[in-house]
Amino acid sequence: YALTRRRVNGKTDQLDMYGQGGFGRVLGCELIGMADPPPPPLVVKRINVDLVRMRVPSGEALFEREVQTPMRVAALLDEVGLAHLLLYIIDGYMSADPITNAIIIYVVMERMSGAKPTPLLVPTGAAEPSDGLPATAPCGSGVDIYDHIPLSPFAARMVVKQMLEVEAALHARNLVHRDIKPDNVLVAGWKGVGAWRYPRIKLADFSLMRLIEEGGAALTFGVGTLDYQPPEQLRRQLSGVLDYDGRVDVFATGMVWYAAVTGQPPIADSVTRAEFHEDVARGDTDEEALRYFHRRFPAVAAPGSPFSNPDGSLNDDGTLLWYMTLRWRHQRLTAAQCLEHHVMVMAAAHAAAE
């Protein structure tokens, strides 16, 4: 593979940058040579490994997370016809500098159609600027669900349905994604017309996914994106046994649903935590659960809300959202149960009719 580059002048090349973070960049690339069938348009995620800041024991462990795990997930979901709902990881490799021991991981993956790169200027022949140099302009993928917010109620239902299909298949195999958020829901295209138009999605970033085993060690506290996590994933676990399961993904999917329709993020757990009891075993009464729901999701009750009836009571969408985001996991629906709810069943029927 080679980075996609264009000569600007005798001293400068231009690369295509599709994203950047604290540990590297996503750059346009292309296959050198021939392949049958030819690959889709490509990008490469270049990760500068920092074992301490990333809290990983080795480069090999991070390579497992970033490359091998997503490829295994794709193989598993291909068995049930759902691999098309995942961002396709095509290849990956790791290099280590023999002098400095610096480790770099390269993840080659498909590029979403419609992704808009930011020009990145580098010295002729250079891979990219030195670490720490800012981009020449703000950079983002241009293809995650945030770029299309607010969605129509039907489009949002279909996004949620596709997410739940992936999650249900993962959870049936005791796998939990653990980092569901709008940035990881990519738009691969659109189907339908008019009021029945909706995005085809691809779920991305399986680097935090874990296998859940009954009676296993407690899952990691403080991973993923805090704004989209339920209470059981945010609380420090002291028992040494499993304290959360696949329903953390369901809760996060509900958070994405709310943001996708209203254009507003939910209220953070840290803001509301002191207002509610912490007795997990007791759970919440319906009154407590509704109060928590309206506190975290205030736009649900706003006039004209797609989650409420004219009298302010929850409509079918609002009720399912409530069931998905109940505070305690033993009261929350699973992904499979959500898919059986008539809101998701009717959405699928409308999509099939189109």
Side-chain angles (χ1 to χ4, degrees):
Y1 303 94
L3 295 177
T4 304
R5 67 174 65 233
R6 287 170 292 281
R7 182 63 54 86
V8 177
N9 54 46
K11 296 182 178 180
T12 306
D13 289 349
Q14 178 180 306
L15 307 180
D16 292 334
M17 183 167 64
Y18 291 89
Q20 67 175 343
F23 300 106
R25 296 182 173 93
V26 178
L27 301 167
C29 73
E30 54 195 7
L31 179 67
I32 300 174
M34 304 293 291
D36 186 21
L42 302 174
V43 293
V44 58
K45 179 162 70 169
R46 184 182 184 276
I47 305 169
N48 303 308
V49 179
D50 184 323
L51 300 180
V52 175
R53 291 174 60 203
M54 292 178 167
R55 294 187 292 177
V56 291
S58 65
E60 289 77 9
L62 187 62
F63 187 82
E64 165 77 20
R65 267 178 30 178
E66 294 285 345
V67 178
Q68 295 175 321
T69 294
M71 294 179 81
R72 280 197 294 269
V73 170
L76 285 172
L77 295 191
D78 190 48
E79 297 174 2
V80 291
L82 294 175
H84 64 284
L85 293 176
L86 305 181
L87 181 67
Y88 184 29
I89 303 294
I90 294 170
D91 205 349
Y93 52 101
M94 181 171 63
S95 68
D97 189 300
I99 298 176
T100 65
N101 293 321
I103 301 171
I104 299 177
I105 292 175
Y106 301 87
V107 186
V108 181
M109 50 195 172
E110 66 176 312
R111 187 182 80 224
M112 294 290 92
S113 61
K116 301 176 180 63
T118 292
L120 184 64
L121 300 180
V122 300
T124 297
E128 59 176 293
S130 303
D131 293 343
L133 289 181
T136 55
C139 182
S141 70
V143 293
D144 64 46
I145 202 70
Y146 256 136
D147 294 301
H148 304 278
I149 287 175
L151 294 173
S152 72
F154 175 74
R157 282 181 219 121
M158 289 303 297
V159 167
V160 169
K161 177 182 176 296
Q162 293 170 85
M163 295 171 68
L164 290 169
E165 287 175 337
V166 174
E167 292 163 20
L170 291 176
H171 300 167
R173 292 158 176 78
N174 297 320
L175 296 166
V176 183
H177 186 284
R178 299 203 299 167
D179 198 19
I180 300 291
K181 57 182 178 180
D183 313 55
N184 288 335
V185 182
L186 307 183
V187 175
W190 293 81
K191 297 189 71 172
V193 295
W196 308 118
R197 188 169 183 262
Y198 67 92
R200 292 185 299 106
I201 69 148
K202 285 181 179 283
L203 197 59
D205 195 353
F206 287 80
S207 62
L208 294 180
M209 192 180 70
R210 281 284 301 271
L211 175 68
I212 288 188
E213 297 175 301
E214 187 66 32
L219 294 176
T220 309
F221 164 80
V223 301
T225 305
L226 302 185
D227 289 347
Y228 289 85
Q229 294 177 353
E232 71 267 23
Q233 198 176 0
L234 294 169
R235 307 294 187 259
R236 186 173 297 279
Q237 298 165 30
L238 302 176
S239 62
V241 297
L242 182 65
D243 284 316
Y244 64 82
D245 60 19
R247 283 170 284 192
V248 299
D249 292 341
V250 174
F251 185 97
T253 299
M255 304 283 269
V256 172
W257 187 4
Y258 175 82
V261 173
T262 66
Q264 303 176 24
I267 301 299
D269 174 86
S270 59
V271 174
T272 65
R273 181 175 179 178
E275 302 173 25
F276 300 94
H277 76 81
E278 293 284 304
D279 189 343
V280 179
R282 176 170 79 78
D284 285 341
T285 65
D286 283 351
E287 181 181 353
E288 290 169 332
L290 269 176
R291 187 166 65 87
Y292 173 81
F293 180 68
H294 284 292
R295 186 72 177 88
R296 294 291 305 273
F297 306 94
V300 161
S305 166
F307 295 110
S308 296
N309 295 311
D311 64 359
S313 61
L314 296 179
N315 61 18
D316 290 344
D317 281 15
T319 300
L320 178 55
L321 177 63
W322 179 37
Y323 292 162
M324 292 173 66
T325 56
L326 287 168
R327 194 158 62 115
W328 307 118
R329 69 181 176 93
H330 65 278
Q331 297 181 300
R332 195 180 307 143
L333 293 185
T334 65
Q337 289 171 330
C338 291
L339 287 170
E340 294 173 354
H341 192 279
H342 67 271
V343 166
M344 292 292 112
V345 173
M346 291 301 296
H350 282 303
E354 288 295 306

